[in-house]
């Protein structure tokens, strides 16, 4: 059980009445199946955070507990390995996962895996997650058409904060669809940031700036 990296889910059974989402994980380069909106929002946050290198959904079934409990994500975060448990409503009063799962928390610590409770309020504002959902869908469709040369041009010429519409105006010779996808890819890689992504819907007025 003490893998240093998890590549595929350990459990694909669908929880009762949960909604299923099949999405493309850019950081893992495969289809990711998620159950429930909380898992979907947590996944968006993992893809949006440039400090997250990779992840795996449902990497482990926690042993020796009933009813069955599956870890929600394994996360390689800035070189640290974390195990995410999405906090359930019944766990609102628990300060740490050690209170809910002491034996498993001890195993995780021994194996240098940080066990974390993740509340839905920690994942991010709804508008921010909705905007990133749009970015990820755009990248899933168009990323393969974006050249390294185009991304290099953007990084070279974008020296101050500009709205996305102004960025498109800087490169009239480029396809605006690919230019937007290139900007989104740079956001995804942490080379650009968008300062108003949590304040207004993604669009021409979204502010792009170098990191």
């Amino acid at each position: 059980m003490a893998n240093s990296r998890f590549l595929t889910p350990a459990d694909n059974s669908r929880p009762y009445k949960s909604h299923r989402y099949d999405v493309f994980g850019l950081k893992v380069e495969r289809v990711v199946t998620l159950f429930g909106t909380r898992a979907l929002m947590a996944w968006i946050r993992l893809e949006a955070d440039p400090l997250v290198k990779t992840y795996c959904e449902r990497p482990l079934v926690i042993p020796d507990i009933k009813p069955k409990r599956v870890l929600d994500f394994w996360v390689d975060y800035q070189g640290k390995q974390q195990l995410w448990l999405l906090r359930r409503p019944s766990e609102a009063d628990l300060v740490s996962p050690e209170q809910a799962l002491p034996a498993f928390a001890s195993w995780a610590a021994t194996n240098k895996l940080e066990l974390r409770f993740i509340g839905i309020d920690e994942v991010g504002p709804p508008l921010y997650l909705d905007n990133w959902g749009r970015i990820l869908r755009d990248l899933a469709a168009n990323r393969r058409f974006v050249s390294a040369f185009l991304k290099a041009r953007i990084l070279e010429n974008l020296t101050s904060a500009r709205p996305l519409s102004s960025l498109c105006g800087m490169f009239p010779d480029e396809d605006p669809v690919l230019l937007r996808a290139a900007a989104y890819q740079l956001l995804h890689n942490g080379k650009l940031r968008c300062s108003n992504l949590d304040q207004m819907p993604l669009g021409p007025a979204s502010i792009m700036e170098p990191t």
Side-chain angles (χ1 to χ4, degrees):
M1 189 165 64
N3 294 348
S4 60
R5 179 179 171 91
F6 301 93
L7 299 177
T8 56
D11 188 289
N12 282 317
S13 57
R14 179 175 177 177
Y16 182 62
K17 289 188 176 180
S18 66
H19 191 83
R20 171 173 171 160
Y21 299 91
D22 292 305
V23 294
F24 186 79
L26 297 167
K27 292 181 178 180
V28 295
E29 297 185 339
R30 62 174 173 82
V31 173
V32 174
T33 298
L34 304 166
F35 300 115
T37 56
R38 293 187 309 133
L40 177 66
M41 289 187 286
W43 169 78
I44 292 174
R45 181 56 184 263
L46 292 175
E47 283 285 349
D49 190 341
L51 297 180
V52 172
K53 304 307 179 186
T54 189
Y55 58 83
C56 181
E57 75 282 20
R58 301 182 305 283
L60 286 171
V61 178
I62 298 175
D64 304 322
I65 64 168
K66 292 183 179 181
K68 181 178 72 174
R69 183 75 181 265
V70 182
L71 282 165
D72 293 287
F73 291 97
W74 165 79
V75 183
D76 185 350
Y77 178 81
Q78 214 175 14
K80 297 183 297 184
Q81 294 189 44
Q82 299 180 342
L83 299 174
W84 282 19
L85 278 169
L86 299 183
R87 190 189 295 271
R88 295 174 174 176
S90 61
E91 296 167 337
D93 296 331
L94 296 178
V95 175
S96 68
E98 286 81 4
Q99 292 178 280
L101 302 162
F104 184 74
S106 176
W107 173 86
T110 299
N111 287 277
K112 298 182 180 179
L113 294 164
E114 180 184 356
L115 185 60
R116 294 185 59 193
F117 261 152
I118 303 294
I120 200 61
D121 56 326
E122 299 175 61
V123 174
L127 181 58
Y128 176 86
L129 296 174
D130 183 66
N131 283 335
W132 263 106
R134 294 174 61 188
I135 289 171
L136 295 173
R137 289 192 293 273
D138 192 300
L139 287 178
N142 296 310
R143 73 196 185 285
R144 62 188 181 278
F145 304 117
V146 175
S147 68
F149 176 71
L150 177 56
K151 290 185 287 186
R153 286 186 71 192
I154 293 173
L155 290 176
E156 181 180 355
N157 289 277
L158 186 67
T159 57
S160 60
R162 287 176 176 267
L164 187 58
S165 58
S166 176
L167 179 62
C168 291
M170 293 171 62
F171 304 96
D173 56 320
E174 297 286 354
D175 183 332
V177 173
L178 296 185
L179 188 59
R180 184 183 65 225
Y184 292 167
Q185 201 165 67
L186 292 169
L187 278 177
H188 187 250
N189 294 336
K191 302 293 180 61
L192 295 180
R193 61 173 170 259
C194 181
S195 58
N196 58 353
L197 204 58
D198 60 347
Q199 301 166 21
M200 61 188 304
L202 184 70
S206 297
I207 302 297
M208 302 292 167
E209 56 187 313
T211 55

